[in-house]
Amino acid sequence: MINQLVSAQQLMDKELLQRLFKIAEDYRTNHPDDYPKLLKHKILASLFYEPSTRTRLSFETAVMRLSGRILTAENALGTSSAVKGESIEDTIRVMNGYVDGIIMRHPEVGSAKRAASMATVPFFNAGDGGGEHPTQALLDMYTIFRSKQSFDGLNIALVGDLLHSRTMHSLLQLLSMYKVNFYLVSPTALQLPDEFTSLLKNAGTHYEKRERWDDIAGQIDVVYSNRIQAERFDDRAVYEKLKDSFCITKETMKSVKKDMILMNPLPRVSEILPEVDDDPRAIYFEQSKNGVYARMALLTEIYG
Ligand code: NCD
C-alpha cells in the first residue's frame, strides 16, 4: 500500500492498476448517492502553486464525492506564506497538523519529493514543474484500458513537448510495464530527457524518436498529444518558434486507424483543432472526466 504518491514509479504494479481500474469502474456505474462515505470527517488540502483546472477540481470533486472536505490554496505562490519566503518543507510541516492529506502542485521539479519527505499524512503530487504528474498517468492508463482492454501490442505515439510534458513522463513509466511500441514525436529541441529514455531502455521497451508521425499515422493505436509547455521556456523566442510544431486536424484524422484513440491531458491550445472534437476517436473530454473516477479509486485505495 502506498500513502505517498510522488512518482508514477510507485504505481508500477499491474495488480494495483487493475484493482484501481475496477474501483474506478464501479464508481462510474454507481449513483453518487450510493458512494461510500469513506472520507467522512476527513479534510484534505489542495496546495496549488501553479495554475490548474482539471487536476485540482477533479481531485476536489473526488474528495467531496467520498464525503471528505477540502481546503484550497489556489495560486498559493501568490497568496500563501510562500510570498513571504516560507519553504515548502515548513508549509508541509504546518499542514500536517491541519489536514488528513495534501494534494500539491508546484512549478519546481523535485518539489513533490521534498514535500513528501516532510509529510506525515498522505501526499499526492499533482505536478512538479516539468517533472511528473502521476495521478494524471493513472487516469490516462484507465482511459486507454477502457478503450483497448489491454496494453500489450499497442503502438503509442507521444506527440509534442516531450522534454517538459510531465504527464508523458509519468505515463510512459506505467506503459513501460507492458509490451508497447513507443513513437516519441517531438522537435529535436524538445526530446524526451535522458532519464526517461534510460528508463525505457532498462525496461526493454521498443521506442523510436521522430520529428513527425504522418508517415506512420496508419499504424498508431493511441496518439497522446500535449501542448508545447510555454511556461517552461526561458527563452520566449524559442517557444514562439516551436509552439505550432504539431497540429491535428480533420484531415489528419482521415489518415489514422478507425479505432485509434486521440488523447490529450488538456488544456489544448493549437495542437488539436476544435474541428476534431466531434470525431468519436477524440476522447480527451472523456479522459478528463475519467480523472474523477481514477482519483476516487486512488483515494479509496489509500484511505479505504
Ligand atoms: C497537464 C499538466 O498540468 O501537466 N494538465 C493536466 O493536469 N490535466 C497538461 C498541460 O498543462 O499541458
Side-chain angles (χ1 to χ4, degrees):
M1 239 254 313
I2 47 167
N3 70 350
Q4 292 195 334
L5 183 56
V6 172
S7 163
Q9 202 202 340
Q10 294 161 279
L11 296 175
M12 286 181 67
D13 172 339
K14 291 183 180 178
E15 274 174 32
L16 170 66
L17 284 188
Q18 287 301 328
R19 188 160 73 238
L20 292 171
F21 297 163
K22 168 84 177 60
I23 301 172
E25 206 55 30
D26 285 347
Y27 284 134
R28 172 188 292 279
T29 46
N30 288 344
H31 193 275
D33 288 351
D34 300 327
Y35 290 161
K37 299 191 178 351
L38 200 75
L39 297 178
K40 200 171 171 207
H41 305 306
K42 293 229 176 339
I43 302 173
L44 276 80
S46 53
L47 263 182
F48 277 63
Y49 295 88
E50 236 190 21
S52 169
T53 304
R54 275 148 293 273
T55 304
R56 184 171 67 81
L57 297 180
S58 66
F59 239 125
E60 296 187 355
T61 303
V63 168
M64 291 197 259
R65 289 282 192 214
L66 296 170
S67 301
R69 283 176 292 172
I70 271 282
L71 284 182
T72 298
E74 195 197 352
N75 185 19
L77 217 49
T79 56
S80 73
S81 279
V83 192
K84 303 180 192 168
E86 183 169 61
S87 67
I88 297 173
E89 284 82 353
D90 283 2
T91 304
I92 298 297
R93 288 179 88 153
V94 171
M95 298 311 289
N96 284 335
Y98 295 170
V99 295
D100 306 295
I102 300 168
I103 303 155
M104 189 185 92
R105 168 173 289 188
H106 194 281
E108 276 169 41
V109 177
S111 52
K113 194 170 172 197
R114 280 169 52 207
S117 73
M118 299 309 288
T120 56
V121 294
F123 175 90
F124 305 88
N125 175 10
D128 62 328
E132 282 210 48
H133 193 346
T135 64
Q136 177 73 40
L138 176 63
L139 78 93
D140 290 341
M141 291 295 282
Y142 174 49
T143 302
I144 298 172
F145 185 74
R146 291 196 86 239
S147 287
K148 301 287 176 195
Q149 285 80 50
S150 133
F151 300 100
D152 289 323
L154 293 179
N155 292 325
I156 302 183
L158 303 181
V159 182
D161 182 350
L162 274 63
L163 177 61
H164 303 115
S165 175
R166 57 192 174 197
T167 71
M168 291 180 181
H169 298 167
S170 288
L171 177 61
L172 64 83
Q173 295 182 58
L174 298 188
L175 286 169
S176 76
M177 288 191 290
Y178 304 89
K179 290 187 187 62
V180 304
N181 297 313
F182 277 117
Y183 297 96
L184 306 175
V185 187
S186 71
T188 315
L190 301 179
Q191 281 183 355
L192 190 68
D194 289 344
E195 72 172 287
F196 296 109
T197 33
S198 306
L199 212 136
L200 294 182
K201 258 187 214 138
N202 293 339
T205 307
H206 177 267
Y207 67 86
E208 256 178 50
K209 288 188 182 180
R210 310 177 127 251
E211 285 183 57
R212 37 195 297 191
W213 64 283
D214 47 344
D215 55 324
I216 47 159
Q219 299 161 42
I220 307 295
D221 300 296
V222 179
V223 173
Y224 189 100
S225 92
N226 190 194
R227 73 192 165 89
I228 308 292
Q229 309 274 298
E231 65 275 40
R232 311 280 175 233
F233 286 76
D234 295 328
D235 186 345
R236 190 75 201 174
V238 179
Y239 168 70
E240 289 297 331
K241 208 173 116 220
L242 298 173
K243 72 178 179 8
D244 297 319
S245 300
F246 303 102
C247 181
I248 297 172
T249 64
K250 255 190 165 156
E251 202 50 39
T252 317
M253 297 304 277
K254 288 185 188 156
S255 60
V256 300
K257 276 187 171 178
K258 295 236 170 327
D259 63 348
M260 175 273 240
I261 52 172
L262 175 58
M263 298 173 67
N264 187 300
L266 303 177
R268 160 262 303 273
V269 190
S270 56
E271 69 280 16
I272 302 175
L273 291 189
E275 64 181 26
V276 175
D277 297 356
D278 291 334
D279 189 307
R281 294 166 293 184
I283 59 166
Y284 26 89
F285 291 111
E286 181 68 18
Q287 181 186 351
S288 72
K289 181 174 157 191
N290 288 342
V292 174
Y293 303 120
R295 291 182 171 109
M296 285 176 76
L298 182 64
L299 291 166
T300 303
E301 176 74 14
I302 290 179
Y303 293 94

